[in-house]
Amino acid sequence: MITLVSALLALGVTGAETATGAAGSSDLYVSPSGDDQANGTVQHPVRTLERARDLARDRVADLDGDLTVHLAAGTYRRSKPLVLDARDSGANGHKVVWQGTGNTVVSGGRKVAGWQKDEGRPGLWSAPAPQGLTDTRQLYVDGVRAQRARGAVPVALTQTATGYTASSGTLAHWKHPSDAEFVYTSGEALWNIERNGLGQWTEPRCRIAAAEGTTITMAQPCWDNSNKRVEFPDIPGRTVSMVGPGRLTNGGRATYIENAYELLDQPGEWYLDRTEHRVYYLPRAGEDPTRADIELAQAEKLVDGRGTASAPVHDVAFRGLQFSYATWLTPSRPEGFSEIQAGYTITGDKGWATQGLCQYVEGGTCPFASWTKMPGNVSFAHGQRIEFSDDVFAHLGASGLDLGAGSADSAVSGSIFTDISGNGLEIGGVDGQTPATGVQVTNNHLYGLPREYHGGVAILNGYTRHNTIAHNQIDHVGYSAISMGWGGWPDKIGDPATANPSHDNAVRDNLISDYMQMLDDGGGIYTQGLTGTSTADGEKVTGNVIHDQLGLGKSVYTDNGCTYETIEGNVLYGAAYANVGSRHTDYRDGLGNNDPTLIKGNWWEEGTADGDNKGLVTSGNKIMATPSDVPSQVLANAGLEPAHRGLLNRKIGAAAAPEAPSRVGTGTAGADALQVTFNPSFADGGSPVTGYTARAYDARGSQAGEQSVSATEFKRTALVRIGGLPASGGPFTVTVTARNAHGASAPSPASLPLTPTAVHALPGAPTGPKLRAASTAATVAWTPPTATGDAKVIGYRVTVSDGRAPIDVRGRDVLVTQPSAKGMFRVLGGLAPGTSYTVTIAAVTAAGTGPTATVTATTKP
């Protein structure tokens, strides 16, 4: 027995040291090398999760303790999900525990073997696709996500009712044009960046159906759902969905095209030829496909908990498992990815005309805003007392984990969510079904996501009750970190927010940083719609530390219809234009008040004075010049608690070069120079990004200039200047690469072309200056100038009458606030109480420093 136990321990079978294997033992043992004809004892483990499930079903009725299914280290490959229902629940107050070792992987992947160099393309390799795999959207090399082949759209496109007319028949001559997918990346219209897509918080995708000559027909219903969204006949431009435009903006121009053999031109790109049943891959430097573990994602779900309201799945735990290599194929099908917000999409043949439009259109489905949620690769509906702890959700193609409608008294703790295509964790829904209640999400690390559907969020919480999201660390995410609630958009037309069952939800003591790294109009904690029936049971946002936002948004964003939220005791800094907001009218009555909101006792930079703005109460907030102004225990309490901080050191996948930057924009910096801005890499390859290199190309595609910048300097200025460009070479496009200790990324998609011009005219003065003074610090606030002269605003010069050196205000907020006329602010520390100060602010462009705006105030005694 000692020899057997030692062998099992070496294989990673947990509990083997105490197991006896005697008849009547309820525990079960599973090993990748087991045998499903065995009885599941420690001596005779079974091989598959289904066999273990079926054996467990026979034992749960008589439980007098937890039944543990011990999964030995190794990979458990899935082509379909492990389906659990009420029969797979615990009993008698005990759980069924699926216990891994930390090296136990539940995988939906298929290993790709038989790699050969491609004779026709230098550097290209190919291999037969695994038998039975007909489609996928993800390929991984040694645990590193590869990029589906992508590039610029090679023709000019004119939008039509069914797609486009192309300037030439290039696409029609591709091998499989109907595989290709247009991607519409939206964003704030700054610095020569296109505002494509369906709102600056979205990134919709639609596949080509056919390309014949110069006629491009797009797949349906994705195309209509993205271009025919119903508008109010008496409110020009306002869709009945009230979320974003009614059609793809900028003439339907795609930002880039993806998934075609002809686009294979960068190391790390791949393509699946479904007709030839063959995979193509351009290896990165140092990769040998014959030795690497190359996985294609096949299964769309790994675990599917199918409870019902009358027969829930309950008392099940998953501990020490990694869930990886699952895909999601709906965006590759005609349905596409017609995004609304946070991974919700419009679906169905007439979705644009009816889905979620409820009372506003004939035949509208209810409740209002009940659009289609992105699925989870691991999911539970009507799950009670479901637990995920010490797990990893990585290398996934949809949302990582979905605790859907009817989830109750469940917990997610001590787990990692990273390298996920869409949302990290989803809780509840917005479709009027049973709300999720009593879900605890604590001490998890969510980072480096979303990797494909960039409008996704780290944690999505719909209509829920008594949920707690606490002590998580969320960093390096493309859009909002935590999204709460739904259905507040009717206030855009003067109607009250959609009634919903939410109340008593808490978001507390989380550490959120480096968020909104790709899209705009979101926040660290973003809330939509009614959160309760009063401030007593409304949403509580307390004790969070939120800093370093890149995109246009707010630290804590109270969006349309957000009512009865309390925002108290948070530390908020480094936001683009506001720490907390926004003000919205409460349309539940005709009194003209604002949505009741309490903003109390926060440390922030905004500096708004105490007051009661028709129900929007601001009280006792403290201006902070630096984090050192905040009590150390407040900072230390946010994020992972001490017992869980080891999660930050756990590496997922092999270290690699970072993901490419995105959304490159340019502005003139003189007759021979361009200023360049871009969205940095938020997926760093497991090693911090150290710098970026911007390269300018002339109209013939030849490199005309180059400039590098450290990651630290780019974070400070958000700019790179490329000078010495030839006078006759324009217009120029620019791409940017990121680098870390393991190499350089692929180039970003190119900027729009721009010819630099001489700059002489200075910008105007900033407008609306204010000085919001405390006793030893003050917030100086202003609005960008209405006239910028010949060039873009790249900074501000702030001077203070106490003789300190002028303050050079730089950063991404300088760039994103200008085109939208959003306010700017900075904190002045080290002031003397009871003293009058005069502050001037001037805008800076490539032409120089403009005239000043002046404001004077006296600090509090």
Side-chain angles (χ1 to χ4, degrees), residues 758-844:
V759 291
H760 304 290
L762 294 173
T767 60
K770 297 179 178 63
L771 195 59
R772 302 163 180 163
S775 59
T776 60
T779 297
V780 57
W782 66 92
T783 302
T786 55
T788 62
D790 292 334
K792 304 288 188 180
V793 174
I794 60 173
Y796 294 92
R797 178 65 58 89
V798 176
T799 60
V800 186
S801 58
D802 60 3
R804 68 182 68 189
I807 299 167
D808 182 23
V809 175
R810 303 292 294 275
R812 183 62 171 222
D813 59 339
V814 171
L815 312 184
V816 300
T817 54
Q818 177 65 52
S820 54
K822 300 293 187 183
M824 290 281 302
F825 55 83
R826 285 295 188 274
V827 174
L828 308 174
L831 305 181
T835 302
S836 178
Y837 290 89
T838 298
V839 177
T840 65
I841 313 105
V844 179

Side-chain angles (χ1 to χ4, degrees), residues 37-124:
Q37 301 304 311
N39 56 11
T41 62
V42 66
Q43 299 98 335
H44 303 290
V46 298
R47 184 176 60 84
T48 67
L49 306 186
E50 280 81 3
R51 177 60 174 158
R53 176 201 63 191
D54 294 344
L55 289 172
R57 284 177 177 174
D58 296 333
R59 305 185 184 193
V60 293
D62 299 322
L63 288 184
D64 56 7
D66 289 350
L67 188 165
T68 300
V69 181
H70 300 271
L71 303 179
T75 299
Y76 297 82
R77 294 190 181 273
R78 317 288 313 159
S79 60
K80 58 184 179 181
L82 172 66
V83 176
L84 303 177
D85 58 31
R87 295 171 293 173
D88 305 303
S89 303
N92 307 325
H94 303 293
K95 290 181 179 291
V96 175
V97 179
W98 295 78
Q99 177 70 62
T101 68
N103 294 308
T104 304
V105 181
V106 180
S107 170
R110 297 288 302 278
K111 189 175 178 64
V112 185
W115 288 96
Q116 300 175 347
K117 291 184 178 180
D118 192 279
E119 297 295 334
R121 294 275 300 274
L124 186 66

Side-chain angles (χ1 to χ4, degrees), residues 373-586:
K373 186 173 67 173
M374 179 184 296
N377 290 132
V378 177
S379 67
F380 274 83
H382 293 281
Q384 298 178 1
R385 298 179 297 283
I386 306 299
E387 173 199 327
F388 288 88
S389 61
D390 191 29
D391 296 316
V392 173
F393 297 84
H395 318 321
L396 296 172
S399 172
L401 171 62
D402 177 23
L403 298 179
S407 294
D409 302 322
S410 297
V412 182
S413 66
S415 297
I416 293 174
F417 293 76
T418 190
D419 189 23
I420 297 170
S421 288
N423 298 320
L425 168 63
E426 299 175 337
I427 312 166
V430 299
D431 56 4
Q433 296 184 35
T434 308
T437 182
V439 177
Q440 307 287 308
V441 180
T442 59
N443 286 296
N444 302 287
H445 187 201
L446 303 96
Y447 67 98
L449 59 88
R451 294 296 300 274
E452 187 173 1
Y453 312 108
H454 294 116
V457 302
I459 300 176
L460 178 68
N461 183 93
Y463 293 151
T464 64
R465 298 172 177 169
H466 297 285
N467 283 4
T468 298
I469 301 171
H471 286 293
N472 302 286
Q473 177 166 322
I474 304 174
D475 58 87
H476 296 90
V477 292
Y479 180 50
S480 296
I482 300 174
S483 181
M484 304 286 291
W486 205 249
W489 295 282
D491 82 357
K492 290 177 178 286
I493 61 167
D495 283 356
T498 303
N500 74 76
S502 295
H503 61 78
D504 289 293
N505 291 312
V507 185
R508 59 175 178 81
D509 304 319
N510 299 285
L511 176 59
I512 298 170
S513 69
D514 299 291
Y515 59 100
M516 292 182 62
Q517 295 281 293
M518 190 165 181
L519 299 182
D520 293 302
D521 200 8
I525 300 171
Y526 171 93
T527 301
Q528 259 273 348
L530 298 168
T531 75
T533 61
S534 68
T535 53
D537 70 357
E539 182 180 315
K540 306 295 189 297
V541 176
T542 61
N544 302 282
V545 176
I546 306 174
H547 63 91
D548 288 329
Q549 171 187 295
L550 185 78
L552 189 69
K554 302 159 191 177
S555 307
V556 179
Y557 196 155
T558 56
D559 206 357
N560 299 107
C562 179
T563 303
Y564 298 128
E565 182 169 328
T566 297
I567 303 162
E568 183 173 5
N570 303 282
V571 180
L572 313 171
Y573 62 97
Y577 73 96
N579 289 138
V580 178
S582 298
R583 182 202 66 77
H584 293 280
T585 300
D586 185 353

Side-chain angles (χ1 to χ4, degrees), residues 225-236:
N225 286 339
S226 303
N227 285 288
K228 285 188 174 182
R229 296 182 181 180
V230 180
E231 297 183 358
F232 286 107
D234 54 343
I235 311 177

Side-chain angles (χ1 to χ4, degrees), residues 615-634:
L616 176 58
V617 178
T618 307
S619 174
N621 300 289
K622 297 164 279 291
I623 295 174
M624 56 175 288
T626 70
S628 63
D629 294 337
V630 180
S632 59
Q633 66 270 24
V634 175

Side-chain angles (χ1 to χ4, degrees), residues 149-204:
R150 71 175 180 180
V153 180
V155 292
L157 297 173
T158 301
Q159 189 173 5
T160 67
T162 58
Y164 301 95
T165 299
S167 57
S168 74
T170 299
L171 294 180
H173 292 96
W174 283 7
K175 288 176 67 176
H176 305 295
S178 61
D179 283 353
E181 185 173 284
F182 285 156
V183 183
Y184 306 89
T185 299
S186 191
E188 193 57 40
L190 79 157
W191 283 77
N192 201 31
I193 295 176
E194 292 182 316
R195 179 177 274 180
N196 301 336
L198 290 162
Q200 56 194 299
W201 53 91
T202 68
E203 192 180 73

